[in-house]
Amino acid sequence: MGQFPINLEEAIDWLASFGGEPDGGGVTRTLYSQPWKDAQQALKGWMEDAGLDTTYDSIGNLFGRLSSSNPNAPTILIGSHVDTVKSGGKYDGAYGIIAGILALDFLKKTYGTPAINLEVVSFCEEEGSRFPLALWGSGMMTGIYSFNDISEIKDSEGISFETAMMAAGFGLSEYRVRNDIQNFIELHIEQGPTLEKVEKSIGIVKAIVGQKRFRITVNGVSNHVGTTSMKWRRDALHGAVNMIHDLYESVKNYDEDLVTSVGQLFVEPNVPNVIPNHVLFTVDARHPNESVLSSFCQQFTEMFSTHAKKHDLDINVEMWHEVQPAEMDGKLNEIIQNICTSSTIPFHWMNSGAGHDAQLFPRICPTTILFVPSQGGISHSPLEYTSTKDLETGLEVLKQLLHQLAYNR
């Protein structure tokens, strides 16, 4: 491999080297970290090598632009996020950026100047893996976030969001929301098993689920395990276990699109012979219909309060992240369907159970996201894998879609 990759497979491994862990341990590239900075700078160099004009915005989103000859032309934005979860896979987010650069390079060399500006974006952050705030890059671009939203946020080491951002070379200068975006298109691995199970190459996404994330804090009283009768205990963990059990049981009362999980659990004092006095756990709930999602969240928070009262515990429920469900654009999806049909590419209509940057853009422009299969449905893991054949199929569909939107006018 030279300084920059020449094909998709090379590019996946190349970008994974920034934040790559030894012995196949995955990729850790969190917002404003050194691996993150190195990856963005490397992508900037590759974009420029492909003949794209590059810029950063004030928070670290990176753009590579193939300009139209018309100074008043709008922009079609393509891309995904460069950050990862801790010890994550090398395809999540990265594939969408890489495919965008390769697509624009191909279109420029094959068809020349587009009638509409084409721009690939490497969003600075989507995962929420360093700071308790997700979709930062696209959230600022779409006007959902402002700098006020990060003023009190710190990471697990106590470093403030603002400090990390400024140390990476970005800052709190005025942020201007773009008003020239005509469409946003994201190409992504599915991160689930559906496409593999139905044996289809492309997932055409109808909607991205809404999601709500909560921190549940349960407080009781610590005491000696051996000397405190069961009937006199205020055991925070006992109460939390009952809450979590009934949370999972309650999902059975809803349709199969509703999913929830308790992903984190912290117990104090976490000593074998001491009754726990403090438990913090998280709840993540998702569904493509906002009314269903809200109903479920209201139901389980009321149920948690009932359990807390029964066990003489104090409880606090904090919703720290919320994204509304988002419908993808029917016209864009119809074009994708026609491309797949004419190219005999097997496709499947589906919802996205994972959140994506594309979820925020329908508020400002017609948007869609398309999927390629994930082997075994595994993601957010070093075992995350999509075959080169499937990656290339997604890239081919993206090339044809952009050609129809930006050149056939």
Side-chain angles (χ1 to χ4, degrees), residues 106-156:
F106 168 82
L107 292 169
K108 180 176 184 290
K109 291 176 178 176
T110 307
Y111 302 106
T113 302
I116 293 176
N117 301 309
L118 291 172
E119 193 166 347
V120 59
V121 59
S122 174
F123 288 118
C124 62
E125 193 277 340
E126 184 254 18
E127 296 286 5
S129 54
R130 180 176 181 183
F131 298 96
L133 180 131
L135 300 161
W136 169 240
S138 53
M140 284 293 281
M141 273 203 74
T142 54
I144 291 173
Y145 288 144
S146 72
F147 287 119
N148 292 333
D149 293 298
I150 62 167
S151 60
E152 304 296 326
I153 293 179
K154 297 182 179 180
D155 67 11
S156 61

Side-chain angles (χ1 to χ4, degrees), residues 195-214:
L195 290 176
E196 186 178 61
K197 287 185 178 296
V198 299
E199 299 181 342
K200 304 296 184 183
S201 301
I202 294 292
I204 304 176
V205 178
K206 298 177 291 184
I208 301 176
V209 297
Q211 56 180 286
K212 300 179 192 290
R213 300 183 194 176
F214 299 81

Side-chain angles (χ1 to χ4, degrees), residues 136-323:
W136 169 240
S138 53
M140 284 293 281
M141 273 203 74
T142 54
I144 291 173
Y145 288 144
S146 72
F147 287 119
N148 292 333
D149 293 298
I150 62 167
S151 60
E152 304 296 326
I153 293 179
K154 297 182 179 180
D155 67 11
S156 61
E157 297 180 354
I159 300 171
S160 76
F161 201 118
E162 293 178 2
T163 297
M165 181 166 55
M166 289 186 287
F170 304 96
L172 301 179
S173 59
E174 180 182 357
Y175 193 92
R176 293 186 296 175
V177 176
R178 298 269 296 270
N179 61 5
D180 65 318
I181 308 298
Q182 175 175 288
N183 297 114
F184 176 67
I185 299 161
E186 186 169 10
L187 179 58
H188 208 281
I189 61 168
E190 182 196 344
Q191 300 181 273
T194 301
L195 290 176
E196 186 178 61
K197 287 185 178 296
V198 299
E199 299 181 342
K200 304 296 184 183
S201 301
I202 294 292
I204 304 176
V205 178
K206 298 177 291 184
I208 301 176
V209 297
Q211 56 180 286
K212 300 179 192 290
R213 300 183 194 176
F214 299 81
R215 290 189 194 90
I216 315 298
T217 306
V218 183
N219 289 311
V221 176
S222 284
N223 214 330
H224 195 293
V225 165
T227 62
T228 309
S229 172
M230 298 297 290
K231 63 183 178 182
W232 294 332
R233 297 185 181 194
R234 296 180 62 197
D235 186 330
L237 182 58
H238 185 199
V241 166
N242 280 275
M243 295 173 196
I244 294 168
H245 174 269
D246 285 0
L247 172 75
Y248 285 111
E249 287 296 305
S250 67
V251 174
K252 298 175 183 178
N253 299 322
Y254 293 82
D255 64 71
E256 64 179 11
D257 285 332
L258 179 70
V259 296
T260 192
S261 188
V262 173
Q264 287 183 310
L265 181 70
F266 302 96
V267 180
E268 295 179 2
N270 203 28
V271 176
N273 61 346
V274 178
I275 297 166
N277 72 323
H278 175 84
V279 173
L280 185 150
F281 65 93
T282 60
V283 175
D284 186 321
R286 308 186 185 205
H287 193 274
N289 183 286
E290 174 62 26
S291 63
V292 174
L293 181 59
S294 294
S295 173
F296 172 71
C297 293
Q298 180 180 355
Q299 179 261 328
F300 82 68
T301 54
E302 291 173 354
M303 179 262 289
F304 285 0
S305 296
T306 299
H307 276 297
K309 185 176 182 180
K310 176 182 177 182
H311 293 276
D312 194 19
L313 302 168
D314 298 319
I315 186 170
N316 181 65
V317 178
E318 175 196 1
M319 183 171 66
W320 67 271
H321 178 65
E322 179 180 23
V323 180

Side-chain angles (χ1 to χ4, degrees), residues 82-104:
V82 72
D83 69 314
T84 71
V85 298
K86 180 176 172 55
S87 301
K90 61 184 180 181
Y91 302 90
D92 179 5
Y95 172 51
I97 301 166
I98 290 166
I101 296 171
L102 290 172
L104 265 57

